[in-house]
Amino acid sequence: MTNAPIMSVLSALRISHRPAAAFCIVGLFWGSMAALAPQLKAQINADDAQFGMLLLGTSLGLLTTMILAPIFDRIMGQWGLPVAAIGLACAFLLPGLATTHMAFFLAMCAAGLGSGLLDVTMNARVSELEAQHNRSLMNANHGMFSVAYALGAFCTGLGREAGFAPFTIFATVGVVALLLVTRTRMQVVEISEEERAAATFPWGIVGLCGAVVLIAFMAEAAVESWSALHVERTLGGRAAQGALGPTMLGLTMAVGRFGGQAVAEKWSDLAVITGGAILSIAGALIAALAPTPLIAYIGFGTLGLGVSAIGPIGLAMVGRMVSPAVRTKAISRAAVIGFSGFFVAPAAMGIISHSYGLRMAFAALALLVVALFPLLVVLKRRGA
C-alpha cells in the first residue's frame, strides 16, 4: 500500500480503536478454533459429516443472538463490548473440554451466543462512528479481525506442534482477550423510545445486504474450518502446514480489508463487491485443484483477498441506508443473517466432503460466490 491508503487505515483505526479491540478478540478465538479443527475433530471422534453438523450448534447460539443482541445492547450501553467479550472468552473454554458429540455441540452453542453478541455490538458501534464522522470505518475494523485471526491460527499451529491441549490454547487466548477488554468500553448513541417507536424497520434492505454478507462469510468460514484439513489430509501436510491454510486466509483478508478501507472511499460499494467476487471464485477453484500445499495456499490467499471487503461493505451499507433509530436492530438482523454463514458453511462443507471429497467441496464455493451477482443487480436498483 502507498502512504495514502496506510494513512487512511491508521486514521480509521484511531477513530474506532475501541471496537477494533473487540474485533481482535473475536479474530483470535476463531483463528485458534480454525487451526484446532483437526485436533478437536479427533478429540470427539467425529467423521467429516458429523463434525460439520456439530458445528451447527454455533448457529443455534447465533439465532438466540438475533433476539437478545438489541436488548443486550440497549441495557448494557457503554458496558456492552466488555461484557460480551468476557462472555466470549469464557464460552471458548468449553470446546477444549468437550470429549463427546453432545458436549461439543453444546459448547459450540455457547461459543455462537458469545460471538454473536460481541459481533453485533461491535459492528453497531462502528456504524455509529461512521455516521458521526461521515466516513467509512468498517473495513479497517474487519481488517483487525483478520490480523488477529491469522495470528491466532499461526500461534495455535505452533502450540499444536509443541503438544499443548486445546483447552490450554483457548485459555491462553482468553488471557490475551481479557487484556484487550480494558480497551473496549465506549459511549453509545442514545435513542429515545419515541424515535424507536416511530421508525419503520427496513426488512428489504436488511434482507438484501444480509444475503451479501451471508455469501461472503460462508466462503470465509469454509476456508477457516476446512483449509487445515484439506492441507493435512488431501495434500499430506503436517499440523503446522495445515495451520498455514487459515493463517494465509487471515493475512490476505487483512491486506484486502485494509486496502478496501482506502478503496471504499473512492469506488462504489457495488464495484468493490464485484471485483472481490471475481477474485473469490478464482481462489476457490485454485484451492480445489491444488496439487500441493503451496498451490492451496495461493488459492486460500486469492479467495481471502477477494472476499475480504464484501462482508464489511454489506454491513456498512445497512448502517448507512437505515435511520439511526433502528440501526442497531437492523445491523443485528443483517449480522445474524451474515454470521450464520460461519456456521452453515462448515456443516455444508462437511456434508459435501463426506460424499465427494474436499476438492469438490472447495469447488462448490465458486458456485456459491456466483450468487452474489444477481443480488448486486437488485441492490443497484434500490439505489445502493
Side-chain angles (χ1 to χ4, degrees), residues 42-118:
Q43 182 173 287
I44 61 174
N45 193 28
D47 62 29
D48 285 0
Q50 290 171 333
F51 189 63
M53 293 302 293
L54 291 171
L55 290 174
L56 282 175
T58 324
S59 297
L60 185 59
L62 186 69
L63 288 174
T64 307
T65 302
M66 180 183 290
I67 301 171
L68 294 181
I71 301 171
F72 172 84
D73 187 45
R74 195 179 310 164
I75 293 173
M76 298 307 301
Q78 63 180 328
W79 293 101
L81 286 178
V83 171
I86 292 171
L88 179 62
C90 294
F92 259 97
L93 294 175
L94 302 178
L97 294 171
T99 56
T100 67
H101 290 190
M102 181 55 70
F104 185 76
F105 178 81
L106 294 175
M108 296 314 296
C109 287
L113 176 59
S115 181
L117 285 176
L118 185 54

Side-chain angles (χ1 to χ4, degrees), residues 29 179 185 206 270 331 369 375:
F29 277 114
L179 294 176
R185 186 166 67 91
V206 169
L270 300 186
I331 288 176
V369 178
L375 290 173

Side-chain angles (χ1 to χ4, degrees), residues 270-283:
L270 300 186
V272 176
I273 293 174
T274 299
I278 293 171
L279 275 177
S280 300
I281 292 168

Side-chain angles (χ1 to χ4, degrees), residues 233-244:
R233 190 176 67 193
T234 309
L235 303 176
R238 296 174 55 193
Q241 290 177 302
L244 281 177

Side-chain angles (χ1 to χ4, degrees), residues 16-293:
S16 57
H17 64 279
R18 295 190 183 280
F23 276 87
C24 288
I25 292 171
V26 178
L28 285 170
F29 277 114
W30 285 111
S32 293
M33 180 70 191
L36 282 169
Q39 193 169 349
L40 292 170
K41 180 173 174 290
Q43 182 173 287
I44 61 174
N45 193 28
D47 62 29
D48 285 0
Q50 290 171 333
F51 189 63
M53 293 302 293
L54 291 171
L55 290 174
L56 282 175
T58 324
S59 297
L60 185 59
L62 186 69
L63 288 174
T64 307
T65 302
M66 180 183 290
I67 301 171
L68 294 181
I71 301 171
F72 172 84
D73 187 45
R74 195 179 310 164
I75 293 173
M76 298 307 301
Q78 63 180 328
W79 293 101
L81 286 178
V83 171
I86 292 171
L88 179 62
C90 294
F92 259 97
L93 294 175
L94 302 178
L97 294 171
T99 56
T100 67
H101 290 190
M102 181 55 70
F104 185 76
F105 178 81
L106 294 175
M108 296 314 296
C109 287
L113 176 59
S115 181
L117 285 176
L118 185 54
D119 270 316
V120 169
T121 307
M122 67 192 189
N123 277 287
R125 295 292 84 77
V126 173
S127 187
E128 289 174 2
L129 290 171
E130 285 186 327
Q132 292 171 15
H133 295 272
N134 193 30
R135 62 171 297 186
S136 173
L137 301 170
M138 198 68 78
N139 267 300
N141 280 268
H142 282 260
M144 292 306 297
F145 165 89
S146 297
V147 169
Y149 176 91
L151 182 62
F154 180 73
C155 292
T156 296
L158 295 179
R160 284 183 61 198
E161 287 282 338
F164 288 104
F167 177 82
T168 303
I169 292 173
F170 282 136
T172 302
V173 176
V175 172
V176 177
L178 291 178
L179 294 176
L180 290 171
V181 163
T182 61
R183 305 292 303 168
T184 59
R185 186 166 67 91
M186 64 178 289
Q187 296 296 322
V188 301
V189 175
E190 297 294 336
I191 303 295
S192 69
E193 291 302 320
E194 291 77 12
E195 290 177 297
R196 296 183 195 277
T200 302
F201 193 74
W203 285 108
I205 295 299
V206 169
L208 285 170
C209 294
V212 170
V213 179
L214 172 65
I215 293 172
F217 286 173
M218 284 184 72
E220 180 182 344
V223 180
E224 286 180 359
S225 298
W226 292 94
S227 57
L229 279 168
H230 187 43
V231 170
E232 292 179 33
R233 190 176 67 193
T234 309
L235 303 176
R238 296 174 55 193
Q241 290 177 302
L244 281 177
T247 301
M248 179 62 70
L249 175 76
L251 288 173
T252 55
M253 290 194 69
V255 171
R257 283 171 172 169
F258 289 140
Q261 175 63 40
V263 170
E265 296 180 2
K266 297 180 180 180
W267 293 5
S268 72
D269 291 336
L270 300 186
V272 176
I273 293 174
T274 299
I278 293 171
L279 275 177
S280 300
I281 292 168
L285 293 176
I286 292 171
L289 299 172
T292 65

